[in-house]
Each structure stands twice: as C-alpha cells, then as structure tokens.
C-alpha cells in the first residue's frame, strides 16, 4: 500500500530530523517506492511523491526550528564537528577543538571545507576509517547491544555473518517487497556510514532512528 509506504517515509524523516543519522536512506527509499509502486506511466510521479514527502518533513523541521529556537542556532550545527573530524582522517568530533581551542561553532563548517580543499586525501582516509569502524564490535553497527566483553568479538562476527546471509537471501528474493525494502534499508544505512562515522556515535546513538532496520 503506497499510502503506508509514504506515511512510513514521513515518520522516518521526522525521526532523522529529531536524531540526525543515516540520511541517505531517505532518497534510497523514495526510489524504492517509485520502482515498487509504479505502473508504466507513473514512475516519475511516484518518485516525486516520495521526494515531496521528504522535502515537506525537512521544511517542517526547519520551520519549527525557526519558530522556537534562538536566532543564533542552526539546524544540524553539531555535524560541523563530525565533518571536521572526517576531513582530518576520522580523528573524531573533538579534533577541531584540539586544532582550534577557541573556535566558534559558526566557523567550523568553513574550517572543515578548507581542510577538504587543501587535503582531500585525508577526507577519503576518514571515510575509509568510518567504514572500517562499522564492522568493529566496540563501536560498530551492533555496539548498541552492549555485548559482554569476554565474547564481544565472537558475537559481533556471528551477527555480521547472519546479516550477510540475510542480504544474500534478500538478493535472491528481491522481487518480493519485504525483501527488496530490506535491501533498500541496508543500502541507505551503509551508504551513510562514510558521512556518519561510528567513532562519533557511542553505542550507535547517531543511528538510533534506523537501528530497527539494521536489526
């Protein structure tokens, strides 16, 4: 039912506005809705509906922020710390405070973009480091489970083995919507990892909105 799918996209967009995280899942799901519910004439129409739902949700969040937040605040301003850490080679959100102890929050995005322009290889290293961390038991995809320390690595391996088995099954049965949407969930979350480094997300709290989909 496309109405349920679009309503789910509203809820997911709202959740990601409340707790910024794996945003790439939103356009992935908009494309999934267009492909899964289109007929020969309406693929673009369904895609437009999905994009419109996401846009309206984002606009509503922006408007709410303008109405109730102080004039000096900015939407997702704390991401500037994460971006600088990525641009420094995945050194963490605190790196900008080490490099510039007296920096103002409004200046961090400019510093991050300058760093990317001056040394883009560091950014690539940071993204690679984020993906590497995603598979590590202590700070990766399943770290929110607080696995017992003495069995930490083994359980993490088991969970990833089950995950990859699930992906293989979903690929085989991708013609069924419950499997194709599972692939869309995985793709959207996984493609977001490079921009939302697990090292900055203790117990994967930045992924809180999409943790049910990971499970």
């Amino acid at each position: 039912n496309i109405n349920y799918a679009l309503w789910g996209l509203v809820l997911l967009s709202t959740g990601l506005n409340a707790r910024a995280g794996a945003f790439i899942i939103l356009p992935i799901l908009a494309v999934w809705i267009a492909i899964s519910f289109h007929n020969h004439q309406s693929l673009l129409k369904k895609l437009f509906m999905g994009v419109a739902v996401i846009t309206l949700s984002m606009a509503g969040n922006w408007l709410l922020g303008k109405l109730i937040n102080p004039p000096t605040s900015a939407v997702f301003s704390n991401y500037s710390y994460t971006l600088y850490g990525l641009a420094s080679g995945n050194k963490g959100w605190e790196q900008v405070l080490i490099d510039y102890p007296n920096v103002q929050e409004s200046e961090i995005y400019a510093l991050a973009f300058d760093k990317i322009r001056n040394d883009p290889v560091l950014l690539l290293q940071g993204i690679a480091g984020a993906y590497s961390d995603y598979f590590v038991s202590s700070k990766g995809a399943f770290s929110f489970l607080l696995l017992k320390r003495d069995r930490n690595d083994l359980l993490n391996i088991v969970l990833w083995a089950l995950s990859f088995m699930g992906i293989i099954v979903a690929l085989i049965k991708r013609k069924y919507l419950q499997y194709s949407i599972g692939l869309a969930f995985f793709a959207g979350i996984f493609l977001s990892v490079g921009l939302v480094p697990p090292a900055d997300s203790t117990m994967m709290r930045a992924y809180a909105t999409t943790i049910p989909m990971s499970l």
Side-chain angles (χ1 to χ4, degrees), residues 6 31 43 67 92 97 107 122 141 166 178 198 208:
L6 292 172
V31 172
L43 189 148
L67 290 173
L97 301 177
E107 302 170 336
L122 266 182
Q178 64 266 40

Side-chain angles (χ1 to χ4, degrees), residues 9 23-24 26 80 85-86 106 151 154 159 187 198 201 208:
L9 200 55
F23 275 108
I24 294 178
L26 295 177
S80 60
L86 270 177
S106 58
R151 295 181 293 172
L154 177 60
L159 289 168
S201 309

Side-chain angles (χ1 to χ4, degrees), residues 62-182:
W62 176 84
L63 180 60
L64 182 64
K66 287 293 182 183
L67 290 173
I68 66 175
N69 287 343
T72 55
S73 69
V75 177
F76 307 133
S77 59
N78 61 337
Y79 184 72
S80 60
Y81 294 86
T82 295
L83 183 61
Y84 187 92
L86 270 177
S88 303
N90 196 35
K91 289 188 176 180
W93 66 269
E94 307 99 329
Q95 187 61 38
V96 68
L97 301 177
I98 296 171
D99 293 347
Y100 302 95
N102 299 315
V103 69
Q104 299 296 311
E105 191 172 78
S106 58
E107 302 170 336
I108 299 176
Y109 271 122
L111 292 171
F113 289 127
D114 284 342
K115 200 168 190 67
I116 292 169
R117 281 192 293 267
N118 294 332
D119 195 352
V121 173
L122 266 182
L123 175 64
L124 295 177
Q125 291 175 354
I127 292 172
Y131 277 105
S132 177
D133 289 341
Y134 192 63
F135 296 96
V136 175
S137 56
S138 60
K139 51 190 172 183
F142 301 109
S143 58
F144 65 91
L145 293 173
L146 298 176
L147 304 173
K148 290 184 178 179
R149 190 171 297 174
D150 58 341
R151 295 181 293 172
N152 204 348
D153 294 331
L154 177 60
L155 288 177
N156 187 59
I157 291 169
V158 169
L159 289 168
W160 271 113
L162 291 171
S163 298
F164 285 122
M165 288 169 60
I167 292 167
I168 292 169
V169 171
L171 283 168
I172 294 170
K173 298 187 176 184
R174 62 188 178 278
K175 291 183 179 179
Y176 298 95
L177 292 184
Q178 64 266 40
Y179 291 100
S180 64
I181 197 173

